Amino acid sequence: MAIKDKIKTRWQNYKSTLTKKTIMTNLWHCVLMVLGNACLAFGTAMFLLPFEIVTGGVSGLALILSMFLPLDTKLLITILTWAMFLIGLLLLGVKFSLKTLISTIVYPPLVYLFGLIRDNKLVNDTTGKLLAGIFGGFFVGAGCGITFTGGGSTGGVDCLSLALNKYTKIKASVASFIIDSSIIVGGLISYKDFTAALIGILSAFICATAIDRIFLGNSQSFIAFIVSSKYKEINEAINSKLERGTTLIHSEGGYTGNETKMIQVAFERKEHSDLQAIVAKIDPEAFMSIVHAYEVNGYGFKRLPISKKQNKFKKVSKSNEE
């Protein structure tokens, strides 16, 4: 009875958050995940599988296994995709598995579909393989990036890397690199084709670059940290001339022990030279470090997004005040 009550309460809480906007947002995320998997399947079926390019991931693992098992590569992709989903469900829980469910359902049939309609005009020589590796890596990376943007996951060997991270404390990025590298080395040993292995590494690099560009975006925002004894003058100049807000952070020199204020300011790429000129003019000896910001929200930049939970919290706070 207690479990039923918990489920009922959670469902009612979830229903209370369902608005037209949230429903449309969730539908859009689903569309993005399907589109992402279509792009991923296109790159895999049209370029990577026909030219036997091992770039890591489920497709690379399927290509290696097809050398030793009397099974079609696409069938192996289907088996491995569902096997990874089950591993994720058992080791990482339901919440993670739900993120990979759309990919698990959509990706294997699309690989079959694109495999059927494939009419490849590329010649299977070194040049053809190179072009296939480049375009295959781009479409696979773009597909993953679009899927991540939709809030989903492509699953696959990511389940293994995240499981390794959870149970061995190896960083997920390191675990992913180890697994993908092992698959590429396995491809080299299985196919005994060094050129194809190099193309596979290039394709994997292009894939990672495409994911970064699509999922992380091409942010034009930066954050500068400025340490100077003339911080007041620099701060005033940034506020008035650059028209950017700043934050003054109490700091102490690790070597000198001198106490001062460090200026933190967010700015755009086009303002980089202006900021440097301001600091250099006031204090040429100032210490300034600049980092690339993935995203900056707030006044003067992109509007800060408000989540469903924040909206709900604001309504509760307002009702309490009343």
Side-chain angles (χ1 to χ4, degrees):
M1 191 68 180
I3 296 172
K4 279 186 178 180
D5 289 339
K6 276 186 180 180
I7 293 170
K8 190 177 179 181
T9 304
R10 284 185 180 180
W11 171 244
Q12 286 173 345
N13 290 338
Y14 178 70
K15 270 181 75 176
S16 66
T17 63
L18 284 178
T19 61
K20 187 179 179 181
K21 187 178 178 181
T22 57
I23 291 168
M24 292 303 293
T25 301
N26 289 334
L27 283 173
W28 175 240
H29 285 171
C30 289
V31 169
L32 284 176
M33 283 185 257
V34 172
L35 284 174
N37 277 279
C39 195
L40 174 61
F42 180 80
T44 302
M46 302 292 278
F47 298 105
L48 301 184
L49 296 185
F51 291 88
E52 297 178 337
I53 299 171
V54 178
T55 62
V58 166
S59 64
L61 200 54
L63 281 168
I64 294 170
L65 290 175
S66 67
M67 294 284 291
F68 307 101
L69 297 173
L71 295 172
D72 179 62
T73 312
K74 300 180 194 69
L75 177 60
L76 284 169
I77 284 176
T78 304
I79 294 168
L80 287 170
T81 301
W82 280 100
M84 296 300 172
F85 174 79
L86 292 174
I87 289 169
L89 182 62
L90 292 170
L91 300 181
L92 301 171
V94 176
K95 193 174 180 181
F96 172 81
S97 299
L98 286 174
K99 289 184 178 181
T100 67
L101 185 60
I102 289 178
S103 296
T104 305
I105 294 169
V106 171
Y107 175 62
L110 285 175
V111 171
Y112 270 101
L113 178 64
F114 286 122
L116 289 173
I117 64 172
R118 177 182 167 267
D119 183 19
N120 207 322
K121 302 296 183 185
L122 291 174
V123 180
N124 197 354
D125 57 7
T126 303
T127 306
K129 270 194 173 180
L130 180 60
L131 288 171
I134 291 169
F135 282 95
F138 170 75
F139 280 110
V140 167
C144 290
I146 294 168
T147 304
F148 296 158
T149 304
S153 169
T154 54
V157 295
D158 285 346
C159 298
L160 297 179
S161 58
L162 290 171
L164 274 173
N165 169 248
K166 183 177 179 179
Y167 293 101
T168 65
K169 303 303 178 185
I170 297 172
K171 284 185 179 179
S173 57
V174 175
S176 179
F177 175 77
I178 291 168
I179 291 167
D180 283 332
S181 299
S182 301
I183 292 170
I184 291 171
V185 171
L188 173 61
I189 295 168
S190 302
Y191 286 93
K192 296 180 177 62
D193 188 341
F194 188 68
T195 303
L198 290 177
I199 292 170
I201 293 167
L202 175 64
S203 185
F205 175 76
I206 291 168
C207 174
T209 305
I211 291 171
D212 282 345
R213 289 294 181 187
I214 291 170
F215 178 56
L216 298 180
N218 192 17
S219 174
Q220 301 290 312
S221 300
F222 296 82
I223 298 174
F225 299 93
I226 306 160
V227 178
S228 169
S229 58
K230 298 180 180 178
Y231 70 87
K232 288 182 180 178
E233 294 96 318
I234 295 172
N235 182 62
E236 188 179 336
I238 291 171
N239 291 160
S240 59
K241 294 179 181 177
L242 206 62
E243 295 184 350
R244 286 293 182 192
T246 56
T247 302
L248 297 178
I249 305 168
H250 176 78
S251 61
E252 182 181 340
Y255 178 72
T256 62
N258 296 334
E259 293 189 359
T260 184
K261 295 281 177 65
M262 180 173 67
I263 303 168
Q264 176 185 305
V265 57
F267 62 97
E268 293 181 343
R269 189 191 296 275
K270 61 187 178 183
E271 298 165 322
H272 179 266
S273 58
D274 292 335
L275 177 64
Q276 281 192 322
I278 287 168
V279 176
K281 186 178 180 181
I282 297 170
D283 184 6
E285 302 299 319
F287 180 83
M288 180 167 69
S289 57
I290 297 173
V291 295
H292 194 182
Y294 160 54
E295 187 174 9
V296 178
N297 294 316
Y299 182 75
F301 294 91
K302 192 166 68 173
R303 187 179 176 184
L304 190 68
I306 299 175
S307 67
K308 293 180 288 182
K309 286 183 180 178
Q310 288 171 320
N311 257 329
K312 192 176 178 183
F313 177 74
K314 280 174 73 178
K315 286 177 184 176
V316 171
S317 300
K318 194 175 179 182
S319 62
N320 288 340
E321 285 171 7
E322 290 171 355

